[in-house]
Amino acid sequence: MDSPPIQFRPVTLADLAMLGEWMERPHWLEWWGDPSEELGYVREMIEGRDSTRPFLILLGGEPAGYIQVWRMADAMVEPWLTEAPWLYQMPEGAVGVDLSLAEAEHLNRGIGTAVLKRFVAMLRDEGCKEIWIDPDPENIRAVRAYEKAGFRPVPGIADATGACLLMRHHKV
């Protein structure tokens, strides 16, 4: 059986209610912040007050998750520097990626890995050379999915807070 095609489309204000519902789900609450705060960040992105680019993940044309890309250079301000002092160690032009699937039943099926591979390919086509992801080290499911998508932990660049594992994409 063929997998449904994976596409991305920019998040719009009309998507916020759906995203808010997703962010209340247990598999999101486990790894993301307060839903109203997270939704506020997405609103800032949509309205152009944050350079992060938010996208819906579409599987077979239907919304199935959320993914974003952010320029690390733009995060070199407070409160991010206090929360993520490892930003000082990032190479020039580095971008970070964050994602979550909408439905818990889509977890552990290779969908996240496939989505991330496709998104990284899109970013590479746009000229991104340094692509990073920073999962919670206790989120073993995510770490394994990211490894399958070509990300590897980077020794020597450590998160002083221990709240994330820094992983860099290696072309595969």
Side-chain angles (χ1 to χ4, degrees), residues 6-171:
I6 298 168
Q7 300 168 298
F8 307 101
R9 87 160 163 77
V11 174
T12 68
L13 290 173
D15 299 318
L16 290 179
M18 177 179 60
L19 273 174
E21 177 193 322
W22 293 351
M23 290 176 179
E24 295 284 346
R25 295 177 178 175
H27 71 284
W28 281 61
L29 290 170
E30 186 174 7
W31 305 112
W32 287 69
D34 172 78
S36 61
E37 188 175 341
E38 295 289 343
L39 210 53
Y41 293 144
V42 176
R43 178 180 291 280
E44 289 177 2
M45 296 170 203
I46 294 167
E47 293 175 348
R49 293 180 281 136
D50 182 317
S51 64
T52 302
R53 294 169 46 207
F55 295 89
L56 284 185
I57 300 164
L58 305 176
L59 293 180
E62 295 298 319
Y66 174 80
I67 193 164
Q68 65 185 24
V69 59
W70 52 284
R71 292 174 16 106
M72 291 190 185
D74 293 346
M76 297 289 286
V77 296
E78 291 301 338
W80 307 118
L81 286 173
T82 298
E83 292 180 20
W86 50 265
L87 285 166
Y88 286 115
Q89 302 174 64
M90 291 294 103
E92 187 175 333
V95 298
V97 175
D98 303 291
L99 74 151
S100 191
L101 298 176
E103 305 295 339
E105 56 265 18
H106 284 164
L107 303 176
N108 298 315
R109 294 180 47 203
I111 296 170
T113 297
V115 164
L116 195 50
K117 284 180 177 180
R118 175 97 171 156
F119 197 70
V120 165
M122 181 185 87
L123 295 176
R124 294 253 185 239
D125 287 347
E126 292 176 359
C128 295
K129 292 179 176 43
E130 289 285 340
I131 304 170
W132 293 70
I133 201 159
D134 61 338
D136 185 307
E138 294 183 14
N139 190 346
I140 302 302
R141 178 179 54 234
V143 171
R144 290 207 174 107
Y146 303 160
E147 287 174 338
K148 290 176 190 173
F151 286 84
R152 299 291 177 265
V154 178
I157 298 184
D159 172 33
T161 68
C164 70
L165 173 66
L166 297 165
M167 302 176 77
R168 180 177 175 258
H169 186 263
H170 295 269
K171 288 185 180 181

